[in-house]
Amino acid sequence: MAAILVIAVTLPGRVEQCDERGRVLAGLSILRQAPDGLVLSDAYAGCAVDRMVAYAGRQLNGAASKDAVVAYYRRTLEHDGWHIAVDVPSPSPAILWGRKEILGVTAYLRLSEANEDTYDLHITDGFPGGS
């Protein structure tokens, strides 16, 4: 019974913190930048309450080569203090991974190619394969 009471008292605060982390991730400059030839779509952000993992991201649409997109984001991420992963976690559709401490939590950025004209840029502050 005491465990249920502790969860009931602490859960709302944890959800609020997770939602705030999601808003912080959504405000990162990397989600407002796109290489030539790509246009940013609507952004999204939130909290996966079942795991208390914050996330944010958006799609980019248009005509740009995969090599140019990866090079652009690699430079931008390194400039912003992200650490580029040498090995992409497997299995993963990612073409570029990065990580950075944000609000005391490790955030993971994943750039993936959804199709020929669409890229996904997704940030989560939980397990790199999450959300």
Side-chain angles (χ1 to χ4, degrees):
M1 184 67 154
I4 293 171
L5 181 60
V6 169
I7 290 170
V9 171
T10 60
L11 184 60
R14 292 182 64 212
V15 171
E16 286 177 17
Q17 290 173 351
C18 187
D19 285 338
E20 174 61 22
R21 292 192 326 265
R23 287 189 292 275
V24 168
L25 294 178
L28 295 175
S29 63
I30 192 73
L31 293 176
R32 295 187 309 273
Q33 302 174 37
D36 289 339
L38 295 182
V39 177
L40 299 168
S41 70
D42 293 336
Y44 61 86
C47 173
V49 178
D50 59 330
R51 295 175 287 143
M52 291 300 161
V53 173
Y55 60 87
R58 68 185 329 146
Q59 283 193 329
L60 302 102
N61 303 292
S65 75
K66 182 164 91 173
D67 290 342
V69 172
V70 169
Y72 173 87
Y73 280 109
R74 180 180 293 276
R75 282 189 311 273
T76 303
L77 289 169
E78 288 173 343
H79 181 264
D80 286 348
W82 289 80
H83 301 278
I84 304 300
V86 176
D87 296 322
V88 173
S90 179
S92 174
I95 55 176
L96 183 65
W97 272 98
R99 67 177 164 72
K100 179 179 182 177
E101 292 294 315
I102 299 174
L103 298 177
V105 179
T106 301
Y108 298 91
L109 180 140
R110 178 185 71 224
L111 174 66
S112 57
E113 188 176 25
N115 61 48
E116 187 177 325
D117 296 325
T118 305
Y119 293 88
D120 290 316
L121 192 57
H122 182 81
I123 303 170
T124 181
D125 71 359
F127 177 72
S131 288

